[in-house]
Amino acid sequence: MTATTRSARAWRRGAAALAVGALAAVGMTACSSSSSGSSASSGSTASSSDIASALQKKSTLTVWAWAPQDKDIVAAFEKKYPNVTVDLVNAGTSTTEYTKLQNAIKAGSGVPDVAQIEYYALPQFAVSGSVQSLDGYGFDSLKSDYASAVGDAITVNGSLDALPQDTGPMALFYNEKIFKQYGLTVPTTWDQYVADAVKLHAANSSEYITSDTGDPGTATSMIWQAGGKPFTVTGATSVTINTADSGTQKWAAEWDQLEEKGLLAQTTGWTSQWFNQLGNGQIATLVTGAWMPDNLETSAAAGSGDWRVAPMPTYTAGTAASAENGGSSYAVMKASSNSLVAAGFIQFLATQPGEQILANEGGFPALTSILNSSSFLGQDPAYFGGQKINTVLSAAAASVLPGWSYMPFQVYANSIFPDTVGKAYSNKTDIYSAIAAWYKASASYGTGQGFSVTLQ
């Protein structure tokens, strides 16, 4: 992701609140619209020649997406397939789009052919039957072109339900100038990270190791990296939520040392103040997705030359471990009457033509052939002091821990995060207890939506 990643990965309090009413209706409600025209139904198959043939016919495709690179990707697609006109619509970012999308699905009209859907939100639309299964389109072989975590993210209940665009393996972004000024060691473990936080804030009470006001995307990614697997989804309707998850406890115990001692800047992310503090060194690190560099270059220009990238600290020294934070897939909506052309478009977007445009314009692609290419690995942005940061970020993509699952009602769960865990941050109280309360509230919602939820 690039400059608009702030919306693509952020589960911000304001945007999430907009989604509560409309997305509460997702539950187990399947889309009632049917496919017709150059479309393949969920039980049929379509060969590559079927898709190629559909792309040669006059047609119009409606795509809802917010990624800035999509304008050029669409232009390249239309150049290759001049009979296809793509109506690219920015219907809002993240939960704003999901609200409009769910409203259109419920109304049975106005649903786009293709929608950009973040990995964490895909299960919610997949289990409701709102997206077209791609199992019959011959795309299964594409999964080996991406890191295993990405392949897992686009597969819901054993069905390939989308293709990826960007991805967000996590790393440690740190201000080298601040680290040198205060004699801090770049941490390789979380215990070292906490020690750096204590030392930094003791030396200058206006400077913090990082900021966190309680973000659900950050929390779930950090739990993932701690080896947590709090959510288990079986089939389309059965969800188990483990409130005693060991990874949740491990991360909460570590982060509590920062939160309860006031070592986290209470600055709302993606605000001008936040970027100012990143630029001037008051926030010394970010543990976030690989899409972050362009955001720093664009919005925290004052920090140019000061920042560097290192592997994410771990709980066991010498053992590489990362998690995903952010990233988007593109799904063919079940209501599309032009699903073969839609499938052809997302294939273009998710393979070499589209992924190369994404990479050329500052995005962090999902395609491993690009991530491992010498041209990508050799980039040495001046903002990061000429460091070849993609060598670190590409390695992070390969070290994402396997086996993570999101709840099929994660969008709603994230929207209520401020009501439980967010209060722990503001009150400097125990994070684990707040996370457990969040898990329980999420379970209650899931049950009310018709899921079979087991709370452990």
Side-chain angles (χ1 to χ4, degrees):
M1 301 184 195
T2 59
T4 59
T5 301
R6 57 170 291 177
S7 299
R9 60 79 48 213
W11 293 269
R12 292 171 295 168
R13 197 170 295 195
L18 294 173
V20 175
L23 286 171
V26 174
M28 301 301 294
T29 305
C31 175
S32 60
S33 301
S34 60
S35 299
S36 61
S38 58
S39 182
S41 65
S42 58
S44 67
T45 59
S47 66
S48 58
S49 61
D50 292 331
I51 295 173
S53 177
L55 290 169
Q56 301 307 315
K57 300 175 183 178
K58 283 282 186 181
S59 62
T60 299
L61 202 64
T62 300
V63 177
W64 284 11
W66 63 80
Q69 301 88 355
D70 285 348
K71 182 178 180 180
D72 288 338
I73 292 173
V74 165
F77 176 81
E78 290 180 327
K79 183 177 180 180
K80 184 173 182 178
Y81 302 105
N83 285 324
V84 181
T85 299
V86 178
D87 182 15
L88 181 62
V89 178
N90 186 338
T93 55
S94 195
T95 49
T96 301
E97 184 211 77
Y98 306 149
T99 301
K100 293 178 181 178
L101 186 59
Q102 185 56 38
N103 285 340
I105 291 168
K106 185 177 181 180
S109 64
V111 181
D113 297 289
V114 173
Q116 178 179 355
I117 303 176
E118 293 157 283
Y119 299 127
Y120 87 98
L122 181 61
Q124 189 145 321
F125 288 93
V127 300
S128 68
S130 300
V131 301
Q132 174 73 47
S133 171
L134 301 176
D135 285 343
Y137 289 79
F139 290 164
D140 278 351
S141 62
L142 294 179
K143 287 201 291 185
S144 62
D145 295 336
Y146 312 109
S148 59
V150 175
D152 290 344
I154 57 177
T155 305
V156 181
N157 191 25
S159 171
L160 180 64
D161 286 319
L163 292 181
Q165 185 184 56
D166 59 353
T167 183
M170 298 178 78
L172 175 69
F173 295 79
Y174 69 98
N175 190 314
E176 184 182 59
K177 179 180 178 181
I178 295 298
F179 269 62
K180 287 183 176 180
Q181 180 179 344
Y182 295 104
L184 305 179
T185 301
V186 179
T188 59
T189 68
W190 287 114
D191 285 345
Q192 292 172 354
Y193 187 81
V194 171
D196 281 343
V198 172
K199 185 176 181 180
L200 173 62
H201 197 60
N204 188 331
S205 61
S206 68
E207 296 183 353
Y208 298 84
I209 195 69
T210 196
S211 64
D212 192 353
T213 57
D215 176 79
T218 298
T220 50
S221 293
M222 296 291 277
I223 289 167
W224 181 348
Q225 196 252 356
K229 295 179 181 178
F231 316 129
T232 303
V233 183
T234 305
T237 62
S238 297
V239 182
T240 299
I241 302 176
N242 183 8
T243 60
D245 173 67
S246 60
T248 302
Q249 295 184 54
K250 184 186 293 185
W251 169 70
E254 203 74 47
W255 220 242
D256 258 335
Q257 298 177 68
L258 303 175
E259 179 251 310
E260 292 185 2
K261 295 177 182 177
L263 300 176
L264 297 172
Q266 293 299 288
T267 307
T268 303
W270 307 103
T271 60
S272 58
Q273 181 187 6
W274 187 71
F275 279 115
N276 287 339
Q277 290 179 326
L278 290 169
N280 65 26
Q282 285 183 281
I283 297 175
T285 77
L286 286 176
V287 186
T288 192
W291 37 258
M292 191 66 202
D294 194 66
N295 289 281
L296 288 172
E297 291 186 41
T298 302
S299 301
S304 182
D306 297 339
W307 284 79
R308 302 291 186 271
V309 184
M312 194 175 181
T314 63
Y315 294 89
T316 303
T319 302
S322 186
E324 291 281 344
N325 182 262
S328 293
S329 68
Y330 284 66
V332 177
M333 301 308 296
K334 189 71 169 291
S336 174
S337 60
N338 202 11
S339 63
L340 290 179
V341 175
F345 174 77
I346 66 171
Q347 182 181 24
F348 182 93
L349 177 143
T351 54
Q352 184 62 35
E355 286 285 86
Q356 192 62 62
I357 292 171
L358 178 83
N360 291 346
E361 298 185 6
F364 194 82
L367 201 63
T368 54
S369 61
I370 296 178
L371 295 180
N372 296 329
S373 68
S374 58
S375 60
F376 188 75
L377 294 174
Q379 293 178 16
D380 53 355
Y383 188 93
F384 292 92
Q387 180 191 6
K388 295 180 179 179
I389 62 173
N390 286 339
T391 61
V392 178
L393 300 176
S394 293
S399 65
V400 173
L401 297 180
W404 176 265
S405 295
Y406 286 108
M407 294 178 282
F409 38 88
Q410 193 75 46
V411 175
Y412 178 84
N414 283 5
S415 77
I416 63 171
F417 193 87
D419 299 329
T420 48
V421 189
K423 291 180 179 179
Y425 280 80
S426 58
N427 296 331
K428 294 182 174 59
T429 55
D430 181 55
I431 293 176
Y432 175 67
S433 297
I435 289 279
W438 177 52
Y439 286 165
K440 291 176 182 177
S442 299
S444 177
Y445 169 80
T447 299
Q449 292 300 304
F451 291 94
S452 175
V453 183
T454 300
L455 192 66
Q456 295 181 338

